[in-house]
């Protein structure tokens, strides 16, 4: 029942493109995939949301979105301004668990970074990951400033005893600067978890066929779904 929660060091870091790359890699490995966008903000009802973008790039995946609010804000704020019910962490967890009964892999994309609020009680994607006991993948920006936000995210996960599967750089430019090149060494160190891949800048603009053909090479093999056995063994080990 593998569920992978995908968060980032912030918004616009490439979570959706990375989610699509993981989905494409898992599909290439013969696995059925569902993508759950916990709450979509800043998108009109007739526009494509992040889950739709994953399906466009990755191919046949089941998509689900628990709520859509018009303002491009944190879900809790956007829900409040729309006068609508927010999405609560237990609803995210329940929806992901249900999808996991019908798919080999469920990818849950949050909104912005790990502690962005979904409801007025301060519920976050971290709460949903905790409820699910699911591992988390952190998508990081490549450049200066990412060491701090990656470490803060990793520490928060550790304090909750939520597994940090690893870090993926969401957009790696053709000509990385000094900070970016050094970050390849330092990101795993500050995260306390491996660097599991890097997506080339512009990956989201490839044709879907080229995206699917290239995606597995951007990610470490564990992300095609083969991490399931290891995660499962660890989570069921005595004393876990
Ligand atoms: N590797 C990439 N290739 C092409 N475009 C990218 C890449 N990474 C990010 N982008 C672009 O940057 C923007 C943000 O990417 P994305 O939508 O994946 O962010 P996000 O982290 O999912 O943000 P949100 O918090 O809104 O979900 C998008 O316009 C996307 O097209
Ligand atoms: C609208 C945007 N693209 C995301 N979906 C929401 C990002 C919320 C970030 C809130 C914050 O950390 O300040
Ligand atoms: Mg996104």
């Amino acid at each position: 029942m593998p569920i992978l929660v995908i968060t980032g060091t912030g918004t616009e870091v490439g979570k959706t493109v990375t989610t699509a790359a993981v989905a494409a890699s898992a599909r290439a490995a013969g696995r059925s995939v569902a993508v759950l966008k916990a709450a979509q903000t800043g998108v009109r009802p007739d526009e494509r949301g992040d889950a739709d973008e994953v399906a466009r790039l990755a191919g046949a995946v089941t998509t689900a979105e628990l709520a859509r609010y018009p303002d491009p804000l944190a879900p809790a704020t956007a829900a409040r301004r729309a006068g609508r019910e927010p999405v609560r962490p237990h609803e995210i967890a329940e929806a992901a668990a249900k999808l996991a009964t019908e798919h080999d892999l469920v990818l849950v994309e949050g909104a912005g970074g790990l502690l962005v609020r979904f409801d007025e009680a301060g519920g976050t994607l971290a709460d949903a990951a905790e409820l699910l006991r699911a591992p988390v993948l952190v998508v990081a920006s490549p450049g200066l400033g990412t060491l701090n936000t990656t470490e803060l995210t990793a520490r928060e996960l550790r304090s909750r005893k939520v597994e940090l599967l690893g870090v993926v750089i969401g957009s790696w430019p053709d000509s990385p600067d000094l900070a970016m090149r050094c970050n390849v060494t330092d990101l795993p160190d500050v995260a306390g978890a491996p660097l599991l891949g890097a997506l080339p800048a512009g990956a989201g603009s490839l044709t879907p066929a080229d995206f699917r053909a290239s995606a597995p090479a951007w990610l470490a093999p564990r992300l095609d779904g083969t991490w399931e056995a290891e995660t499962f063994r660890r989570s069921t080990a005595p004393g876990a």
Side-chain angles (χ1 to χ4, degrees):
M1 191 205 73
I3 299 172
L4 180 61
V5 175
I6 300 184
T7 189
T9 52
T11 187
E12 297 276 302
V13 295
K15 286 190 303 296
T16 301
V17 190
T18 300
T19 303
V22 176
S25 304
R27 284 196 67 237
R31 301 167 67 79
S32 62
V33 179
V35 176
L36 172 64
K37 178 72 181 181
Q40 179 73 63
T41 64
V43 173
R44 289 195 315 265
D46 59 327
E47 285 181 316
R48 273 209 320 265
D50 285 2
D52 304 312
E53 177 66 3
V54 173
R56 184 185 71 80
L57 289 169
V61 299
T62 301
T63 57
E65 196 183 272
L66 296 182
R68 181 176 283 210
Y69 309 105
D71 289 333
L73 300 169
T77 316
R80 186 181 74 229
R81 283 175 50 86
R84 306 237 317 267
E85 279 298 307
V87 174
R88 301 187 188 284
H90 77 87
E91 294 172 321
I92 302 171
E94 283 159 18
K98 183 165 187 306
L99 287 167
T101 63
E102 295 150 1
H103 298 83
D104 298 323
L105 178 65
V106 179
L107 303 173
V108 183
E109 182 186 343
L114 183 68
L115 294 184
V116 167
R117 294 182 173 200
F118 279 76
D119 63 18
E120 73 286 354
T124 65
L125 190 69
D127 296 320
E130 218 176 320
L131 288 168
L132 284 163
R133 296 171 191 259
V136 172
L137 182 69
V138 173
V139 181
S141 52
L144 203 62
T146 202
L147 294 177
N148 176 57
T149 46
T150 300
E151 183 160 355
L152 286 169
T153 305
R155 285 189 185 202
E156 178 65 22
L157 290 169
R158 207 170 300 125
S159 78
R160 293 166 177 263
K161 299 190 168 33
V162 173
E163 180 186 6
L164 171 51
L165 190 70
V167 177
V168 170
I169 296 173
S171 182
W172 185 252
D174 285 342
S175 304
D177 64 21
L178 177 64
M180 293 172 184
R181 296 196 308 274
C182 292
N183 284 341
V184 172
T185 303
D186 292 337
L187 274 172
D189 198 25
V190 301
L195 185 60
L196 292 175
L199 271 63
S205 307
L206 292 175
T207 64
D210 286 345
F211 185 91
R212 289 168 209 169
S214 307
W218 300 329
L219 303 169
R222 295 180 78 206
L223 278 179
D224 69 6
T226 55
W227 48 270
E228 178 194 1
E230 189 182 331
T231 304
F232 184 71
R233 243 195 329 274
R234 244 183 294 152
S235 64
T236 56

